[in-house]
Amino acid sequence: MATHLNARTVKIILPNILGYERIAMASSASFAKMFGFASERIEDLKTIVAEAAINAMQHGNKGHTDSEVTVTIRFKDNAIHVAVTDQGDGIAEILPRPDIDRIMNNLDPPVGFGVFLIQELADGVEFNKDTGDGHCVNIVVKKDSNQVEDAARK
Amino acid sequence: MQHENEITIKKQGDVTIMDIKGDITAFSDPFLSNAYQQAIVHDTRKIILKSNKEAYINSGGIALLIQLLAQIKRNNQRVVIAGISDHFKKIFTMVGITKFAPIYDTEEAALQILAAETK
């Protein structure tokens, strides 16, 4: 489905090359700044967008250099809605939360940090939504996150 | 695109400082490995991993850092981290890195703590 671009919706198309997630990070940071997000929340958004794009490149598109990753960013209801779409089969398996004690003792491989960070930093995540010609991860990042509210209560 | 790290090894007293320039990503693997090999030549027991507030650190870089911390732990060395931004302090705490390597704002603060410890 074509995305209607407007003053509150932008789309970035990336080549399937690791490192180019920085383009989406920088764009999302500029976008969030336009809508008054605090710098701490912008840093969260940058990490979320980077990790979702890296997952799309590595696991969705399986590293195929002729594939693309599309990042759509929309501001609605005081939150940024990020959709990261690959042209492959999506993420085969949502890995469990990495256990650093087991990793440090060589009992688990050091994997799963990208998904873990997205889940920890975002206010909502939906993985592997079938778009017909690929798969999409939908993420919500509130302007005033629960994290911030929780920290303020403490 | 530049994926290189320049890592300077400095020795101050009984502490070795690995000063990492550039982003820490999966591409940092050979640079971190080589730098650690250089660091252990000094027969060091205390290490500071120093980065900077502008560095981009992604999940690939976090995985490498944890592997490096595991290696340091196996070698019975003490390690701390210095210089990273508040955002990555939060990320490292979430991941659990701070259980194995406390974070200090500056190299000087880290040095002060390590210097005060029994050799």
Side-chain angles (χ1 to χ4, degrees):
Chain A
M1 190 172 65
T3 307
H4 178 62
L5 302 182
N6 54 38
R8 287 170 176 248
T9 309
V10 300
K11 183 156 73 173
I12 305 130
I13 301 174
L14 304 172
N16 207 68
I17 301 171
L18 280 178
Y20 279 75
E21 75 278 3
R22 289 174 173 88
I23 308 288
M25 284 171 67
S27 303
S28 62
S30 300
F31 187 82
K33 201 170 178 185
M34 285 170 64
F35 288 98
F37 276 56
S39 58
E40 189 184 333
R41 203 64 187 130
I42 292 175
E43 291 303 315
D44 292 345
L45 178 69
K46 284 164 67 181
T47 290
I48 289 164
V49 168
E51 296 303 334
I54 290 169
N55 274 336
M57 289 174 188
Q58 289 184 313
H59 305 295
N61 289 335
K62 309 270 188 287
H64 295 144
T65 49
D66 55 349
S67 297
E68 293 175 354
V69 172
T70 304
V71 181
T72 308
I73 308 167
R74 182 179 182 208
F75 183 74
K76 186 189 165 195
D77 300 333
N78 226 25
I80 286 180
H81 300 251
V82 182
V84 179
T85 308
D86 62 48
Q87 294 178 310
D89 300 327
I91 304 170
E93 182 191 4
I94 306 301
L95 295 168
R97 180 190 181 102
D99 182 333
I100 192 163
D101 294 299
R102 289 184 59 82
I103 296 169
M104 288 289 287
N105 288 302
N106 228 8
L107 298 170
D108 282 349
V111 294
F113 296 108
V115 166
F116 169 73
L117 290 176
I118 294 169
Q119 289 173 323
E120 285 292 305
L121 297 171
D123 296 293
V125 191
E126 179 191 26
F127 288 103
N128 282 344
K129 191 175 176 196
D130 193 347
T131 61
D133 55 358
H135 281 76
C136 182
V137 177
N138 290 315
I139 305 163
V140 179
V141 181
K142 290 181 185 171
K143 193 170 176 178
D144 304 305
S145 78
N146 294 333
Q147 275 186 348
V148 175
E149 288 164 14
D150 289 346
R153 274 192 222 108
K154 286 175 187 169
Chain B
M1 194 189 315
Q2 197 172 5
H3 288 302
E4 291 181 1
N5 291 110
E6 185 187 321
I7 305 180
T8 312
I9 307 294
K10 295 186 287 183
K11 186 96 169 112
Q12 189 140 341
D14 63 343
V15 180
T16 300
I17 301 147
M18 290 173 57
D19 189 351
I20 307 163
K21 299 275 191 309
D23 298 333
I24 304 176
T25 69
F27 295 104
S28 303
D29 191 5
F31 305 101
L32 284 173
S33 297
N34 289 340
Y36 182 60
Q37 291 310 313
Q38 285 180 51
I40 56 177
V41 166
H42 295 290
D43 194 26
T44 189
R45 305 255 50 91
K46 299 173 185 174
I47 296 173
I48 299 175
L49 295 178
K50 184 189 171 195
S51 182
N52 60 79
K53 292 192 176 0
E54 287 73 41
Y56 159 54
I57 306 171
N58 65 20
S59 53
I62 289 170
L64 285 179
L65 286 173
I66 291 173
Q67 286 174 298
L68 179 60
L69 295 183
Q71 202 176 350
I72 291 171
K73 187 180 163 225
R74 281 196 297 275
N75 290 336
N76 293 315
Q77 293 163 320
R78 168 100 160 94
V79 61
V80 303
I81 294 168
I84 61 172
S85 69
D86 288 343
H87 175 66
F88 285 108
K89 274 186 214 165
K90 179 172 83 176
I91 297 282
F92 283 17
T93 305
M94 277 178 179
V95 169
I97 285 178
T98 45
K99 285 163 66 178
F100 300 94
I103 299 173
Y104 298 96
D105 280 340
T106 62
E107 176 186 325
E108 293 71 27
L111 270 171
Q112 208 172 5
I113 294 292
L114 290 180
E117 291 180 353
T118 313
K119 287 181 188 176

